[in-house]
Amino acid sequence: GKLETLFMTLEDKKGKLGMDLFSGLDNLVDLNIEFGETFTFQPEMFAYLPSLESLRLRQSFFQIVPEFFTYLEHLKSLDLQNFDLCILEDNIFGSLVSLESLNLENTFLEEIEDQAFAGLGELRELNLGGNRFKPISSCVFLPLKKLKKLSLSKLSRSCKLNGLFANLVSLEKLDLSSNELKSIDSGVFQGLESLRKLNLSLNKITIIDANSFCELKELRKLKLNKNKIMSIEAGTFARLDKLEELNLTLNPIKKFEM
């Protein structure tokens, strides 16, 4: 058929849905599925979708394992927002060698293993916001050489940033808003030589080190609004030669020296 986009809810109360559920949908590009509580998924179902580029899944009642993505090597966008993932195991996305966008916002993540993103060399966008995973090491992002956009907003646990971004040389946009950050230490953004937009709003930042942003030579937009900053020391933004927009609204600033 010529169908390119499909929205559907899958229930399988009588166990009648077979592996050939998507048979005949060779031209399907965009698939949006909401699972019923009784549905048992079989990865082979995706084998009938050779043109699939975008997959959005909602309301999971089963655990996702690496085999789930075996037949999706051409997939470019995967949206698992609000899925109950809990843990990202090593190589869980290893089959998704063409993936460019991955949304894992509010997926109840508590742990991300070091090789969870192995194989995602083409990934451009990653959203991990709204989770409560344990502190992760910089090697987690090591395979993501082409990543341009990363969201780590609204993390329930304390966000440890030192060394975390060292391997993200292509990153252009970073969202660290709503994380209860209290300070920005020197060297935190080391390695982010391509970063253009940085969002640090809605935190509890009181202190900014004079060298906090010195590595960000390409930075154009910096959001520090809705923090608790009381003073800006001279030279804090001195090395940001390309900075075009700086938002410091709703801070109790009493001293400001450029």
Side-chain angles (χ1 to χ4, degrees):
K2 296 182 179 180
L3 189 66
E4 294 186 356
T5 300
L6 175 61
F7 296 83
M8 65 188 307
T9 299
L10 291 180
E11 296 274 0
D12 193 16
K13 294 181 179 179
K14 297 182 179 180
K16 292 183 178 181
L17 297 178
M19 290 186 294
D20 60 349
L21 177 65
F22 300 122
S23 179
L25 299 178
D26 293 353
N27 293 314
L28 195 70
V29 175
D30 185 6
L31 177 59
N32 303 267
I33 305 176
E34 182 175 324
F35 294 105
E37 189 171 355
T38 59
F39 188 77
T40 302
F41 193 85
Q42 302 176 72
E44 291 81 4
M45 291 178 173
F46 289 138
Y48 294 90
L49 302 172
S51 302
L52 193 66
E53 294 184 2
S54 178
L55 178 61
R56 178 178 178 268
L57 306 178
R58 290 292 182 269
Q59 289 189 317
S60 156
F61 295 94
F62 54 86
Q63 184 179 6
I64 285 186
V65 293
E67 292 75 22
F68 186 90
F69 304 111
T70 301
Y71 299 94
L72 295 172
E73 63 269 19
H74 300 297
L75 198 71
K76 292 184 178 180
S77 177
L78 177 60
D79 185 346
L80 297 175
Q81 185 175 351
N82 298 321
F83 229 70
D84 191 353
L85 290 179
C86 190
I87 298 176
L88 283 189
E89 299 178 358
D90 287 341
N91 299 299
I92 190 167
F93 303 114
S95 300
L96 304 177
V97 293
S98 301
L99 199 68
E100 297 179 3
S101 177
L102 177 58
N103 185 4
L104 298 174
E105 185 176 9
N106 296 325
T107 47
F108 306 96
L109 278 176
E110 296 186 2
E111 182 178 353
I112 300 178
E113 296 187 354
D114 286 355
Q115 300 300 317
F117 300 123
L120 298 182
E122 295 299 316
L123 199 68
R124 265 68 167 184
E125 297 185 11
L126 175 60
N127 189 344
L128 291 169
N131 288 295
R132 48 170 291 120
F133 46 80
K134 302 173 184 176
I136 55 179
S137 65
S138 59
C139 65
V140 168
F141 296 134
L142 187 61
L144 310 181
K145 299 296 185 184
K146 295 183 179 180
L147 194 69
K148 293 185 176 298
K149 183 178 179 181
L150 174 62
S151 177
L152 293 171
S153 65
K154 301 178 182 177
L155 301 182
S156 298
R157 292 186 175 178
S158 59
C159 191
K160 296 185 179 180
L161 304 180
N162 285 6
L164 191 58
F165 310 117
N167 300 306
L168 299 177
V169 294
S170 299
L171 198 68
E172 295 181 359
K173 185 175 181 179
L174 176 60
D175 187 353
L176 292 169
S177 61
S178 302
N179 278 318
E180 298 192 2
L181 296 173
K182 295 180 180 179
S183 64
I184 302 297
D185 299 327
S186 175
V188 164
F189 301 117
Q190 186 175 356
L192 297 180
E193 56 196 46
S194 301
L195 198 69
R196 291 170 176 258
K197 298 180 181 180
L198 176 59
N199 187 355
L200 289 165
S201 63
L202 294 161
N203 281 292
K204 296 182 179 180
I205 299 171
T206 57
I207 301 173
I208 298 177
D209 189 283
N211 296 313
S212 293
F213 306 112
C214 64
E215 295 95 347
L216 306 180
K217 308 295 186 183
E218 297 295 321
L219 197 66
R220 265 71 165 180
K221 294 184 179 182
L222 176 57
K223 299 181 69 174
L224 285 162
N225 52 300
K226 296 185 179 181
N227 276 284
K228 296 184 178 182
I229 302 170
M230 297 188 70
S231 66
I232 305 290
E233 300 299 326
T236 299
F237 307 115
R239 300 183 191 180
L240 302 182
D241 296 333
K242 298 184 179 181
L243 190 65
E244 299 171 354
E245 182 180 315
L246 174 60
N247 191 340
L248 291 168
T249 57
L250 299 176
N251 278 288
I253 297 174
K254 295 181 180 179
K255 180 182 177 182
F256 185 18
E257 300 178 13
M258 284 295 288

